[in-house]
Amino acid sequence: MLPAYEELVAWLPELLAGLTISLQVAALSLLFGMPLGLLLALGVIARSRILKTVSLVLVEIGRGAPALVLLQFIYFGLPATGLTLGSFTAAVVALAWNTGAYTSEIIRASLQSIPRGQRDAAEAIGLTGVDELRYVLLPQALRVALPPLLGFSILIFQGTSLCFTIALPELVSRAYEIGSGTFRYFPVLLAAGCLYAAVSVPAAILVGHVEKRAGRYAER
Amino acid sequence: MSQADIFVILRGLPWTVALTLGAFLIGSIVAVPLLAARESQFLPLRLFAMSLIQVVRGIPPLLWLFIIFFGLGMSYFPISPFVAALTGLGLIAAANMAEIYRGALKSIHHGQWEAANALDLGRLSTVAFIIAPQALRVALPSAASYLIGLMKETAVASTIGVAELAFQGNRLSQLTFQGLEVFAVVGLLYVVLSLPVAWLSRSADAYLRSKVAA
Amino acid sequence: MDGAVLYLADPPQSSQDRSNGGIMMEQGSNGTVIRLRALSKHFGAHTVLDAIDLDVRPGEVLAIIGPSGSGKSTLLRCINYLERPDGGTITIGPTTIDASMPVERAELSKLRRRVGMVFQSFNLFPHMTVLRNVSIAQERVLGRSRAEAEERAMQLLSRVGLADKAGQHPGRCSGGQQQRIAIARALALDPEVMLFDEPTSALDPELGLEVLAVMRELADSGMTMIVVTHEMGFAENVSDTVMMMADGDIVEKGSSNQVMRQPQQERTKRFLRAVHDR
Ligand SMILES: Nc1ncnc2c1ncn2[C@@H]1O[C@H](COP(=O)(O)OP(=O)(O)OP(=O)(O)O)[C@@H](O)[C@H]1O
Ligand SMILES: [Mg+2]
C-alpha cells in the first residue's frame, strides 16, 4: 500500500512543484485578503449606510457560501460577464474574498473586545476617529486577533486544495494526475497528504503556542 | 435560469443535508472516545489520539475524500462516493468535535471538579453528571457554528461525484453555460441552509441559559 | 508611597488666593471656565440629568458627591461629550456647544483640548510605554514634534513622581502609579479644566493617598477641577465647593464647609450620615 522508495523519488519533484503553487496561492490570498478583511471590518461598523451594506453583503457571501462555490463562481461564472480569469488568478481572487470575509469577522470581534474605557480615553485626549483606530484600537485588536488569524491562514492553505476543481496544477491536482497515470492512487495521495500535514501540523502547533502566550498577555 | 433549472439544483439538497447531518452525528459520537483517549492517563494512548487529531486536521478535506474514494476505493475495496464522503467528513468532524468538547471541558471551573471530589463521586460519575452537562452548554455555540462550517465543507463531496448541491450546480453550469447565475443560486442556498441552524443554536442557547439561571 | 508632593513643579498657593486663578486662561463671561445651562440627558425614558445649570470659576475645585446612579459620571462624560447630551449648552472658555444642534468634529476637538479627564479605571493604553501614553496626544492633537512632546511628557511624569517609569508599560505599574500616569496624560494638552471620575475608587486606600496627593498639588497650583468622589476627606479639605446630586438633579451646592458640615437638605444629611456610618 505504501509508496516504494523509487516511486517517491520519481514523484517528489512533481509534488513539490504542486506544493509550491499551493503555498503561492495561499500567500497571495492572505496578502490581499487580510487587508480586505480590515477594510470590510471597518466598513461593517461604518456609519455610512451604503458602505455598511456593501461590506455586509461581501462578508455574508464570502463566508456563507462554500469556498468551493466561490471559486467556481469566479472561474466558471465570471466569464459570462466578459471577465475571464486564469485559474491562478481566479484562485487568488476567490480565496482572498473568503479570507477577507472571515478575517473581517475576526477583526471586528477583536475590536469589540477592547474595553470601552480605551475609546473613552482616546476621545477624551482629543484623538480623531482615524487616530483613535490607528494608535489605540487597532494595535490592541490585532494582538487579540493574531492567533485566530494565524489559525485561519492554515485553513486557507488547505483550502488551496479546492483549486483542483479549476485545473490549477497545485498539489492535489498533481497527485491525482500521477495517480490516474500509474493507477497508484493510494500511495501518491498519501504522499500528498504527508506534504500537507508537514506544513499544517507544525503550523498548528505553533499557533497553539501563540494562543497560549496571547492568553497570558490578556490576563495581565 | 428557468424554474426547472432551480429544481435540478434542489435535487442536490437531500444529499447535502444527509451528508452534513450524517457526518456531524458520526463526528459527535466518535469524538467522545477520541477525547477520552486524548485525555487518558496512559501516555501512548494519549500521544496516539493527539497525533491522530492533528493529522486528520492537517490534511485538507478534499484530499481525505480522494484518499478514501480513489486511494482505497479504486484499489482495495469498492466504496460508493456517498459512503466515502460520509467516512471522510465524519472522521474530520470527529477530530474537530473532540477539540470543541475539550475546550468546553477546560472552561468548566475546577471548583466543580473539587466539589464533586469532595462528594466522593468517581471520575466517571463526575464527568457524566457534573461536568458534561455544563460542558455541553458551553460547547453548543461552537458546535453549531461547526455544523454550519461542515455543511459548507460537504461541497467538496461534489469532486468525487456525490450528487449534492455543488455537484448539481457544476453539472447545470456545464449544460447551460450560465455559471454566473447557477453558482450564485447554489451559494445562496448554502447561506439559506445555515439560517435555521444559527436560529436553532441561538434559541437552544437561550433555553439552556435560562435553565441554568433558574 | 513615594510622596508625589515632593515633586512639585510650582510652589503651592494657599487655598485663599486659589480662586483668583493661579494661571491665566481665557474666560467666558462672568469669570467662569465652565458654564452649563439646562444640560439634559436621558437613557430611554430614564432621565439621568435633569436640566443641570452649573458655573465653575477659574481655579475652583468642585467636588460632586451623591449616591450611586445619581448621574455624576454622566454629567462629567457629557461635559466633554463622551456622552452626547440631549439638550442644553456647554460653555468652556470661549467655546459654546449647543447640544440640541449637530456638533462639528472641529468644535468637539476644541472642547476636548480644553478639558482633561481622569477615569476610575485609569484607561491607560496598555500597548504603549508610559511616556508614549503621555506624549501621543501632544503629537497627534497639538502637532508637537516627538522630541517636544516627549520633553513635556517627562516634565509631567516628574510632576506626578513617575519619571523613572517612562520606558515601561503601564501593566507593570501599580494602580496608584497608573492613575498618576493617567493624570499626567490628561495634563499633556494643557487643559483649562480637569475632570476626575472617582479617581481613587479602584485603589487600595494607601494607593489612593498618592493619587490624592497629586490632585491636591494640582489644586494648589490653581487648576480648575471637577471631582466626582466618595472621599469625604477630599470633599471637605481640598475642594472649595461641594455639590450634592441625586436622581439627576443638583440637591444642593455650596462651599465645602457648609455642605459637608451644615447641609441644608434632608437628602444630603441622609447621604452624609450613610457615608459616615460605613
Ligand atoms: N449607557 C447607558 N445606558 C443606559 N443607562 C445608563 C447608561 N449609563 C448610565 N446609565 C444610567 O444612568 C444613571 C446614572 O448613571 P451614572 O453612571 O451617571 O451614575 P453615578 O452617579 O456616576 O453612579 P456611581 O456612583 O455608581 O458611579 C444610572 O441609573 C445608570 O444606570
Ligand atoms: Mg459613576
Side-chain angles (χ1 to χ4, degrees):
Chain A
M1 264 175 104
L2 294 178
Y5 176 73
E6 297 76 31
E7 280 179 324
L8 263 187
V9 171
W11 297 340
L12 209 53
E14 187 73 0
L15 294 181
L16 283 178
L19 178 63
T20 309
I21 292 184
S22 301
L23 285 169
Q24 281 169 346
V25 170
L28 285 175
S29 304
L30 294 169
L31 195 71
F32 291 113
M34 291 212 180
L36 176 67
L38 177 59
L39 290 181
L40 288 174
L42 296 179
V44 169
I45 56 180
R47 268 188 282 270
S48 151
R49 260 211 127 44
I50 306 173
L51 213 58
K52 207 186 184 98
T53 314
V54 171
S55 311
L56 262 176
V57 168
L58 280 177
V59 169
E60 287 310 319
I61 297 175
R63 345 180 291 140
L68 180 68
V69 176
L70 287 183
L71 195 63
Q72 299 185 334
F73 174 75
I74 287 184
Y75 187 72
F76 297 120
L78 275 193
T81 67
L83 187 65
T84 305
L85 301 177
S87 59
F88 189 90
T89 314
V92 171
V93 170
L95 292 178
W97 182 4
N98 193 235
T99 303
Y102 274 95
T103 55
S104 81
E105 290 291 291
I106 294 173
I107 293 170
R108 195 161 62 95
S110 63
L111 275 174
Q112 278 165 348
S113 77
I114 295 171
R116 170 74 202 260
Q118 291 291 309
R119 304 199 55 171
D120 285 349
E123 279 170 35
I125 62 170
L127 294 185
T128 59
V130 177
D131 278 357
E132 179 180 327
L133 259 177
R134 172 166 162 209
Y135 293 101
V136 178
L137 301 181
L138 278 182
Q140 298 187 64
L142 291 182
R143 215 165 293 201
V144 177
L146 184 67
L149 287 181
L150 290 177
F152 183 77
S153 305
I154 301 177
L155 290 184
I156 278 295
F157 166 62
Q158 298 195 353
T160 58
S161 62
L162 301 173
C163 304
F164 166 83
T165 60
I166 59 169
L168 181 73
E170 45 67 66
L171 185 48
V172 174
S173 306
R174 308 247 182 171
Y176 182 80
E177 210 142 283
I178 294 172
S180 55
T182 59
F183 229 71
R184 298 273 292 151
Y185 280 112
F186 187 77
V188 73
L189 290 171
L190 198 65
C194 289
L195 284 179
Y196 272 109
V199 176
S200 302
V201 172
I205 293 171
L206 198 76
V207 172
H209 280 292
V210 173
E211 225 158 46
K212 261 191 211 132
R213 282 197 42 187
R216 271 210 299 279
Y217 174 84
E219 274 162 30
R220 267 201 294 141
Chain B
M1 230 172 82
S2 68
Q3 211 171 349
D5 290 343
I6 293 186
F7 274 114
V8 169
I9 296 176
L10 281 177
R11 251 188 268 153
L13 195 61
W15 292 104
T16 294
V17 172
L19 205 50
T20 306
L21 293 182
F24 188 71
L25 194 68
I26 294 173
S28 307
I29 294 169
V30 175
V32 174
L34 192 56
L35 177 64
R38 168 79 174 72
E39 299 294 298
S40 139
Q41 315 278 347
F42 184 53
L43 185 68
L45 188 60
R46 193 162 74 235
L47 283 180
F48 171 74
M50 277 167 78
S51 2
L52 185 67
I53 291 175
Q54 285 286 8
V55 169
V56 168
R57 286 157 54 107
I59 295 176
L62 181 131
L63 187 52
W64 270 122
L65 299 200
F66 275 27
I67 290 174
I68 294 168
F69 184 70
F70 295 114
L72 294 175
M74 302 277 255
S75 320
Y76 300 96
F77 42 89
I79 186 170
S80 80
F82 182 78
V83 173
L86 197 61
T87 312
L89 292 170
L91 182 71
I92 293 166
N96 286 311
M97 287 303 290
E99 291 297 284
I100 289 175
Y101 291 159
R102 197 165 73 92
L105 276 184
K106 275 206 302 203
S107 77
I108 303 301
H109 194 265
H110 66 254
Q112 295 290 316
W113 286 96
E114 282 167 9
N117 281 344
L119 294 173
D120 205 22
L121 289 174
R123 192 171 145 92
L124 196 62
S125 322
T126 305
V127 171
F129 299 117
I130 312 289
I131 306 298
Q134 301 184 53
L136 275 182
R137 208 199 80 47
V138 179
L140 188 84
S142 342
S145 59
Y146 181 65
L147 177 59
I148 294 175
L150 184 62
M151 190 256 299
K152 288 178 280 179
E153 207 69 87
T154 59
V156 300
S158 62
T159 57
I160 57 171
V162 178
E164 45 68 79
L165 284 174
F167 181 88
Q168 303 289 1
N170 232 309
R171 199 163 56 181
L172 192 66
S173 88
Q174 279 163 17
L175 282 175
T176 62
F177 300 103
Q178 289 182 318
L180 201 69
E181 293 93 327
V182 171
F183 287 112
V185 167
V186 172
L188 204 66
L189 277 175
Y190 280 97
V191 177
V192 170
L193 268 183
S194 66
L195 293 180
V197 181
W199 179 80
L200 259 178
S201 149
R202 263 199 303 278
S203 18
D205 193 50
Y207 170 74
L208 289 170
R209 230 176 255 276
S210 68
K211 240 177 63 168
V212 171
Chain C
M1 97 167 234
D2 48 0
V5 255
L6 295 178
Y7 299 89
L8 286 181
D10 310 308
Q13 296 166 286
S14 69
S15 59
Q16 273 85 333
D17 37 274
R18 213 199 287 143
S19 46
N20 300 333
I23 43 178
M24 290 307 299
M25 61 193 68
E26 297 168 85
Q27 294 178 7
S29 53
N30 306 338
T32 59
V33 214
I34 292 197
R35 157 181 293 239
L36 309 180
R37 286 295 175 267
L39 195 69
S40 307
K41 176 72 187 173
H42 306 263
F43 284 117
H46 180 36
T47 303
V48 182
L49 294 178
D50 192 5
I52 299 284
D53 293 332
L54 179 66
D55 292 282
V56 182
R57 281 172 287 116
E60 180 176 345
V61 177
L62 167 69
I64 302 180
I65 59 172
S68 188
S70 54
K72 307 181 296 293
S73 299
T74 307
L75 177 62
L76 284 199
R77 294 169 61 82
C78 281
I79 290 177
N80 70 352
Y81 249 73
L82 283 184
E83 210 80 70
R84 193 179 163 31
D86 305 326
T89 58
I90 304 169
T91 308
I92 296 183
T95 314
T96 295
I97 286 185
D98 185 343
S100 54
M101 315 266 262
V103 184
E104 280 177 39
R105 262 244 64 114
E107 284 294 289
L108 213 57
S109 142
K110 257 195 256 167
L111 174 88
R112 286 180 175 154
R113 231 182 268 187
R114 294 168 186 277
V115 181
M117 182 151 182
V118 175
F119 302 88
Q120 179 175 351
S121 49
F122 329 137
N123 299 348
L124 291 177
F125 305 132
H127 58 296
M128 297 179 186
T129 62
V130 167
L131 187 68
R132 190 95 179 113
N133 263 278
V134 184
S135 67
I136 177 98
Q138 299 178 61
E139 282 177 41
R140 302 304 306 175
V141 181
L142 300 182
R144 288 185 187 151
S145 73
R146 175 167 278 216
E148 254 180 308
E150 292 192 340
E151 191 187 324
R152 175 84 179 117
M154 282 310 295
Q155 281 173 10
L156 289 166
L157 285 173
S158 311
R159 188 170 177 190
V160 298
L162 290 169
D164 57 323
K165 298 283 179 195
Q168 294 191 0
H169 283 260
R172 293 283 168 98
C173 301
S174 74
Q177 291 170 338
Q178 292 196 36
Q179 193 61 300
R180 282 148 64 197
I181 297 162
I183 293 175
R185 177 177 70 180
L187 287 172
L189 294 181
D190 303 315
E192 291 163 28
V193 187
M194 286 280 284
L195 310 177
F196 293 83
D197 191 1
E198 301 193 30
T200 57
S201 293
L203 299 170
D204 293 341
E206 214 171 316
L207 295 179
L209 282 181
E210 63 186 57
V211 173
L212 287 172
V214 170
M215 289 171 63
R216 178 185 278 257
E217 183 266 317
L218 205 56
D220 288 340
S221 75
M223 177 60 78
T224 310
M225 294 163 57
I226 302 182
V227 184
V228 171
T229 187
H230 289 309
E231 301 270 357
M232 293 305 138
F234 183 90
E236 207 164 328
N237 303 319
V238 183
S239 68
D240 306 300
T241 320
V242 173
M243 176 167 112
M244 163 78 190
M245 283 186 73
D247 301 325
D249 258 322
I250 300 176
V251 176
E252 74 177 291
K253 178 177 172 241
S255 75
S256 58
N257 262 331
Q258 191 217 312
V259 177
M260 299 303 289
R261 304 236 168 90
Q262 284 129 16
Q264 304 297 303
Q265 300 294 326
E266 193 46 45
R267 186 73 190 83
T268 315
K269 290 179 193 166
R270 194 151 35 100
F271 175 73
L272 289 175
R273 254 199 319 274
V275 173
H276 283 286
D277 288 350
R278 249 195 316 162

